[in-house]
Each structure stands twice: as structure tokens, then as C-alpha cells.
Amino acid sequence: MHVLHVVGARPNFMKVAPVHAEFRGRSQVRQTLVHTGQHYDANLSDIFFEQLQIPRPDVSLEVGSGSHAVQTAEIMIRFEKTILERQPDLVLVYGDVNSTVAATLVCAKIGTKIAHVEAGLRSFDRTMPEEINRLVTDQLADLLLIPSEEAEGNLLREGVAREKIHFVGNVMIDTLRTLLPQARMPQVTGLGDRYALVTLHRPSNVDEPESLRRILETLTTISESMQIVFPVHPRTKARIESLGYRFENSDRIFAIPPTGYLECLALQQRATVVVTDSGGLQEETTALGVPCLTVRENTERPITITHGTNTLVGTDMNMLLDEVSKVLAGQGKGGRIPPLWDGRASKRIADIVLGVEAQTVRRAA
Ligand code: UD1
């Protein structure tokens, strides 16, 4: 069986790593890895390939940045050629980025089977580009591999056939469990034991100057009671620079470049609290048992709230300050590990993919 994986942006890399590794151990599988080039900076891409030991991509489409339409269309144009040349039996797409939906659209039109890893998550907020990507990808995919049980209800409500849905658990946690022993703190001179890790990159938080300014001012307030480490995503860096904002107390707030995976794990593990708008960090903090305050009005990962350590604070900065005070008073949210976040999701994915192939062959015979 020939399996082709499509990745493009940072949050895809920790998902493909364990699945690709699992298939390497299955003799009946041949693999092709395609990198669309949606993320191209070394600290958003190369460092993850290195640390997660993902083989070099077989195909690099090098699409780069652009508006949603330009980026999605460019991936489609280049990826169509790849599919026609390589003729895989199944394409695996990951998560909810533009590369995910672009590859899915191409495969659906050509008639190539698609498996979606991390299917069925919904924020119910169509102003998020990722929600559009999730909805379209899940309508077109043939195999929907879900990380948590509530995803099944979301898919059934949208008319997806039950037999296409498989509860496999969370592949990000496979990677976390494998690499946690190698987690290492980045060099941040002057950082003490008690700090908040902050990451922000959602357009709804950083593209609107007033929201960004309010968030940055709130971070300055938080930094009076706790140091802050803030790895700054390129999108956010550009927006902060265009605001002309300067953090005043620089020995309290450490704005650093985006970190590698191992550094990000260590920063989360040792943090007093994580303040974020990332999907991945909501899950990783739940797995690590670290309180997480999510600066969004909704989340497509509600299990991190019902089971885990996550609290939605929305864009209400007073609520963010209140929740930080609670953490400082030792009342941070505890949690438990959600079902099938057990480090074996990629094994289940490989079993299902190969089992489905066996069924198809049996039916054809
Ligand atoms: C993308 C994903 C988002 C994911 C995030 C993780 C979509 C719709 N969004 O958002 O779901 O959470 O990745 O990082 O797919 N840039 C660089 N270097 C790069 C890549 C981008 O400097 O290697 C800059 C460019 O100015 C670009 C901007 O970042 O315009 C945004 O990049 P883009 O890939 O469009 O979206 P992200 O915000 O990274």
C-alpha cells in the first residue's frame, strides 16, 4: 500500500511524526511525505523535522505565504501534479491548516482516498479560517480519525456516515510522551522558577490593533506578579512592530523567537501557568497537568476543559487577570487525562488504515 502524507505548517509536524514512524514499521506500506511549504522559516519548520526525527520530505511544494485564496490555490495547483505523478492509494491529511483543506480538495476531485487525522473538532465559529478548513475536509474525507469522543457527534450531525469515523485518540500525545524525557529549557537569562508561558498568533487576537494592545497591556500587568516568557510567532511579531509597542519591564517579560518542540515542552512543563490561543498548547497542558488560560471565546477542543486543565477566558482581560490570580493563590485548575490520550493513537491509525485496505481487497475479490 502506498500512503502519502501532506504537511505544511508547524502544528502538522508533531502529528505526522508518530504516524510516519508507525508506518515505517509496517512492511506492507510504502510512504511519501509532502511538505507544502506553508511554513518555511527554520524555526517554524526545519527544527521540528530535526527534533521529531521526521525524514526529509520526498516532495517540497515551496508555496510560501499569501492570502488564504492564494495560498490554498497555490498548494492545490502544485499538489495536483504530485498526486498524478505519485498515484498513492491513500492520502493522510492532518489538523486544520490551509494545507489540509487544499490537499483534500485535490484528492476528492481526482478520486484519491483521504484519511483525516484529528477529524471532527469544531469551534462552531466560522470566522476562524481553521473552522472552514475542518468543515470542508471532514465532508470530503473517507476515513475520519477522531482524537476525542465528542468529535463523533459533531460529524454525525453533519451527515457523515458512522462507519467512516474511528476513535483513535490524540496523536500529539504520542509525540509528547515519546519526547518528554528529552525536553530541554531554552537559554533565557534571568528567568526564575515562577513564570507564565504566553503564545498568541490567532488573527482574532493579533490582527486587530486594539485587541492586541489590550492583551499586551494585560501581559505587562501580569508581569508585575510573575515573569513572562513569550515566544513570538512571526505574524504576531509583525503586528507588535506595526503597533510600535514596547514592553517596559524587559527583565519581567522575555519576548523570544519561536522555540523548537523540545524547548516548548520544557517551557510548558515548568510553567506556573500557560496563557495561549494555540490549539496544541491547550492539549499539551492538559497532558502535562499545567493550568492553561485560553484567550479565545471558544475552543474546538472542549475536552481540555471538561477533562483537562484548560479555562476559556475569552477576550475579557479582567477574567484573564482573575484567573492568573487564582493560579498564583494555588487554585489553578487540575484535570485528568482524556480517554485514548495514551501514546498509542498512531498505532491505532495504522491498524485502521491497513484494515480498511484489507476489507477493500476482500470485497473486490
Ligand atoms: C497557520 C495556521 C494556524 C496554525 C498556525 C501555527 C492556517 C489557516 N493557519 O497560521 O491554524 O495555528 O499556522 O503557526 O493554516 N510567516 C513567516 N514564516 C513562515 C510562515 C509564515 O514569517 O515560515 C509569516 C508570514 O508573514 C505569513 C504569516 O506568518 O503571512 C502567517 O502565516 P500563515 O501560514 O498564513 O498562518 P499562521 O498565522 O502561521
Side-chain angles (χ1 to χ4, degrees), residues 43-64:
N43 59 13
L44 293 189
S45 180
D46 297 0
I47 191 167
F48 291 88
F49 275 73
E50 220 173 90
Q51 294 188 345
L52 305 172
Q53 294 178 23
I54 308 168
R56 288 169 71 85
D58 301 293
V59 180
S60 294
L61 301 179
E62 297 180 356
V63 295

Side-chain angles (χ1 to χ4, degrees), residues 131-246:
E131 184 75 353
I132 309 294
N133 296 344
R134 292 179 201 117
L135 284 161
V136 174
T137 301
D138 286 342
Q139 277 300 311
L140 299 177
D142 300 280
L143 269 183
L144 296 112
L145 303 165
I146 63 174
S148 48
E149 282 158 308
E150 87 285 348
E152 180 171 23
N154 295 338
L155 292 170
L156 293 176
R157 273 194 300 281
E158 290 166 15
V160 174
R162 190 182 295 272
E163 59 272 19
K164 290 181 172 178
I165 305 170
H166 300 268
F167 177 30
V168 293
N170 191 330
V171 280
M172 291 251 301
I173 307 305
D174 294 13
T175 302
L176 182 144
R177 285 185 169 222
T178 307
L179 291 180
L180 195 55
Q182 295 167 48
R184 53 176 190 233
M185 282 294 275
Q187 186 74 35
V188 184
T189 311
L191 184 67
D193 285 344
R194 199 168 68 162
Y195 64 86
L197 172 66
V198 176
T199 81
L200 297 164
H201 72 281
R202 293 276 156 220
S204 55
N205 282 327
V206 306
D207 284 3
E208 159 55 45
E210 259 328 291
S211 348
L212 180 59
R213 184 182 296 282
R214 272 189 309 117
I215 294 173
L216 296 175
E217 282 165 0
T218 309
L219 293 182
T220 302
T221 309
I222 295 171
S223 74
E224 287 159 17
S225 47
M226 197 173 10
Q227 286 182 310
I228 287 180
V229 187
F230 183 9
V232 187
H233 186 281
R235 171 192 282 281
T236 312
K237 183 167 185 277
R239 301 294 186 268
I240 294 178
E241 281 168 3
S242 64
L243 265 188
Y245 195 88
R246 290 267 175 284

Side-chain angles (χ1 to χ4, degrees), residues 112-128:
T112 306
K113 292 260 172 293
I114 307 151
H116 183 202
V117 176
E118 202 187 84
L121 300 187
R122 295 291 180 270
S123 64
F124 304 101
D125 173 3
R126 292 196 183 188
T127 65
M128 284 181 79

